[in-house]
Amino acid sequence: MNAIVNVRNLTKSYGQNRVLRGVSFQVARGEVFALLGVNGAGKTTTIECIEGLRRADGGTVELGGSLGVQLQASSIVAECTVKEAVSLFCLWNKTPTAPTLALFDLEQLKSKRYGSLSVGQKKRLHVALALIGDPDIVVLDEPTAGLDIEGRLQLHDEIRAMRAAGKTVLLASHDMAEVEELCDTLAILRDGRIAFCGTPAELKSEVGRIATIAVRASGEALPRLVRTCSYCGEDGGYSVFRASNLGEALFEIASIARTHGLEILDVRTERASLEERFMEISKGGDAA
Amino acid sequence: MKAFAYGVWLQWKIDFRKKDVLMMYYIMPLAFFLFMGGIFSSIDPDMKETLAYAMTVFAVCAGAFVGVPTSIIGFFGTDMRKAYRIGGVPPWTAAANGFVSACAHLLVVSCVIAALSPITFGAEPVAEALPFLGVALCFMAAAVSIGVFLGLLFKSQAKLSVVAMMLFLVSIMLSGIMLPDQFLPEAMRTIGGLLPSRWAFNAFSGENVVQNVLLMVGLFGVFALASALRIKAIGRTE
């Protein structure tokens, strides 16, 4: 793999709290890579260690190109206009202001003060600032958090444009749908370690087999007799089971009903979603 | 250099857009000047000789000890510094821009006070403009550097406000601008002798000018260095 970001065995603690316990992953040149995890999983700490904003306790980070960063909690002086902010950042980076203002319709906002911008407009500004100097690697920490649908879609288009321009994008998110739509590779953080690393398709192929089965049967014996899936409880007269293999589970239920003279009154099945699989891995399901 | 100069100019413009900054740099000192100038002159006509100096000391203390720390903590106590750092804008420039801009504002208000004192209250005009400006600048540098350091030291706005207000009140009460020295208890006079506001007032009045100026310059050096070390420590702890 032609890795442009190589993270090896990153560790970081805040006092007694061990946030990162040996995080390792690689990002290939030109791909969109997502780092996923629930709140508190260590996404932002990992990102900040990669950016150099935070000093890791152990491990290494190797970058094969220049970096542009949009932080989760980016902020600028509220009384500063968009043009002034862009000018300041461009001057310090020795790049012209006009190309950055031309990005993401910022030209229309140039006289507006930062404090009066909407959440989406602020995000666009911070992503534009991250692109100053035409970096090879763009790090976006939860770029669509707080955005409405339109803002989210616009930012997704911008991320696709970055990839088309040959940039590598490292995206931290807890939005599985967004990741599924945009990313080539994803890694799920759990308890300070990578619990899954692969493509969305690989994650989906695991999901396809998992299902929830709700069965209404005569008698109450069914939950005690079923072995191939786990019993989750009763819900409105239905016994609910979770199965890692839908076909096998349905076959067993039908066999048990026939053997024990139970009448199956109704069966409902539901495939696990990618979000459910993500939550399962994030909170202690299968490891990578 | 161009980027730094732009940052200073931008800070100057932004200060005029902030109501709290305008309050501490201009409105409060000028209001106090207009209000107390009349009172001081009528209580003791001799105070007209030093009215411009006294009000300048007040204005600088208000701006430096109450105004400056607030804007510094507003940057260094938030994620703004990370956004600037990651964007290639060195965080120390926020402190430096704030320092230069604050000194510029305080210089303007000092000149306004010096110009208005004879007109409004029949006070003695400033004896010599250049020495007045020189002493004023040294005092501003010392006081604003203390203000910057305070803003860097505290993480809590509430605690900072208490300390800043205490420093401001002590500085003006014990500097000799409100009450002549002889009315203060011995202990207070001793404490007052350690304050840059007293050094500035004495220098303005022609007492031990060189010594007082050197003290203020020295104090500026100490707090400038302390601020630089503090900024470095803030960057290291991340």
Side-chain angles (χ1 to χ4, degrees):
Chain A
M1 181 203 283
N2 183 9
I4 194 171
V5 178
N6 199 349
V7 177
R8 279 203 206 98
N9 221 19
L10 217 54
T11 57
K12 177 72 182 175
S13 298
Y14 299 117
Q16 299 299 317
N17 182 19
R18 290 180 66 200
V19 178
L20 302 181
R21 299 167 186 241
V23 171
S24 298
F25 60 87
Q26 291 181 324
V27 182
R29 194 173 288 273
E31 76 168 351
V32 179
F33 183 98
L35 189 62
L36 285 147
V38 296
N39 290 336
K43 300 188 298 297
T44 297
T45 300
T46 304
I47 295 282
E48 289 185 349
C49 290
I50 292 171
E51 293 157 2
L53 270 181
R54 213 166 276 281
R55 202 165 290 123
D57 296 333
T60 57
V61 174
E62 290 162 14
L63 300 174
S66 56
L67 199 64
V69 179
Q70 172 260 318
L71 294 172
Q72 183 181 9
S74 287
S75 185
I76 284 169
V77 176
E79 292 80 10
C80 190
T81 66
V82 168
K83 186 176 178 194
E84 287 167 346
V86 171
S87 298
L88 181 69
F89 279 72
C90 284
L91 276 169
W92 277 101
N93 285 279
K94 298 184 171 64
T95 60
T97 305
T100 304
L101 273 179
L103 291 172
F104 315 140
D105 297 329
L106 289 180
E107 187 67 43
Q108 296 173 6
L109 303 173
K110 66 180 182 183
S111 303
K112 284 192 86 172
R113 292 188 189 179
Y114 181 80
S116 68
L117 297 178
S118 67
V119 172
Q121 289 169 338
K122 285 179 182 173
K123 293 276 185 179
R124 277 158 54 195
L125 172 60
H126 286 294
V127 174
L129 293 177
L131 294 174
I132 286 174
D134 197 24
D136 303 307
I137 307 163
V138 183
V139 179
L140 305 174
D141 193 350
E142 307 219 16
T144 57
L147 294 187
D148 60 15
I149 295 171
E150 188 186 357
R152 202 179 293 236
L153 292 174
Q154 274 177 350
L155 204 47
H156 288 180
D157 286 340
E158 283 148 20
I159 292 171
R160 289 189 197 94
M162 286 180 216
R163 176 169 49 192
K167 298 193 185 302
T168 304
V169 180
L170 175 52
L171 176 69
S173 177
H174 58 254
D175 186 337
M176 195 64 224
E178 170 176 271
V179 165
E180 189 185 354
E181 196 181 324
L182 291 173
C183 300
D184 303 301
T185 310
L186 64 98
I188 298 177
L189 262 176
R190 183 184 75 220
D191 295 334
R193 290 194 181 90
I194 299 291
F196 173 88
C197 190
T199 64
E202 285 167 0
L203 188 65
K204 262 188 185 172
S205 68
E206 290 186 27
V207 166
R209 297 191 303 272
I210 299 165
T212 303
I213 307 168
V215 181
R216 194 149 70 92
S218 60
E220 293 172 358
L222 192 61
R224 283 185 280 111
L225 298 168
V226 171
R227 294 281 175 264
T228 58
C229 40
S230 52
Y231 174 59
C232 299
E234 298 295 310
D235 182 16
Y238 286 77
S239 301
V240 180
F241 301 92
R242 191 149 177 85
S244 59
N245 189 315
L246 179 61
E248 237 181 65
L250 286 174
F251 181 78
E252 190 203 5
I253 289 169
S255 301
I256 289 169
R258 189 185 174 88
T259 306
H260 291 88
L262 303 173
E263 189 182 348
I264 301 289
L265 302 168
D266 192 17
V267 177
R268 293 178 192 165
T269 62
E270 196 178 312
R271 296 277 184 186
S273 65
L274 214 52
E275 281 86 0
E276 284 173 330
R277 186 64 185 131
F278 160 62
M279 289 310 297
E280 220 173 45
I281 295 174
S282 297
K283 293 200 169 173
D286 298 343
Chain B
M1 197 62 207
K2 192 176 169 189
F4 180 75
Y6 180 79
V8 174
W9 167 238
L10 181 59
Q11 184 65 53
W12 168 262
K13 283 201 291 181
I14 286 172
D15 284 345
F16 282 109
R17 298 172 190 166
K18 290 184 178 181
K19 289 192 181 99
D20 51 347
V21 168
L22 289 179
M23 178 66 70
M24 292 317 300
Y25 286 162
Y26 293 98
I27 296 168
M28 198 184 94
L30 289 174
F32 185 83
F33 161 68
L34 292 171
F35 183 66
M36 293 304 289
I39 293 176
F40 283 167
S41 330
S42 54
I43 290 173
D44 180 3
D46 286 343
M47 289 185 89
K48 285 188 183 183
E49 288 176 20
T50 56
L51 186 66
Y53 307 138
M55 293 296 107
T56 297
V57 169
F58 178 90
V60 172
C61 287
F65 297 148
V66 185
V68 168
T70 306
S71 62
I72 295 293
I73 201 176
F75 181 90
F76 282 90
T78 66
D79 285 323
M80 225 180 281
R81 73 174 189 279
K82 285 189 192 174
Y84 278 59
R85 184 173 156 197
I86 207 69
V89 183
W92 63 262
T93 59
N97 294 343
F99 174 86
V100 175
S101 180
C103 288
H105 288 296
L106 295 174
L107 194 62
V108 167
V109 80
S110 301
C111 291
V112 169
I113 288 170
L116 284 182
S117 298
I119 300 167
T120 322
F121 302 112
E124 282 290 317
V126 161
E128 286 173 75
L130 279 178
F132 168 76
L133 289 173
V135 171
L137 277 170
C138 292
F139 178 41
M140 283 165 207
V144 173
S145 66
I146 294 173
V148 167
F149 181 69
L150 280 181
L152 292 168
L153 197 61
F154 287 90
K155 291 179 185 174
S156 156
Q157 176 71 61
K159 285 181 190 165
L160 172 64
S161 297
V162 168
V163 171
M165 191 51 70
M166 278 175 53
L167 182 59
F168 166 65
L169 288 173
V170 164
S171 294
I172 59 165
M173 294 302 288
L174 303 186
S175 59
I177 68 166
M178 302 281 278
L179 293 169
D181 262 0
Q182 55 264 37
F183 295 125
L184 294 171
E186 179 68 38
M188 298 289 174
R189 255 184 276 154
T190 308
I191 294 169
L194 300 171
L195 298 172
S197 48
R198 171 70 71 82
W199 305 338
F201 188 61
N202 289 348
F204 282 138
S205 308
E207 279 181 50
N208 298 322
V209 176
V210 172
Q211 180 184 314
N212 285 314
V213 164
L214 285 175
L215 281 171
M216 287 187 283
V217 169
L219 194 68
F220 160 69
V222 166
F223 278 95
L225 180 64
S227 299
L229 292 172
R230 178 67 186 153
I231 290 171
K232 205 170 173 184
I234 290 171
R236 253 204 315 270
T237 54
E238 284 181 329

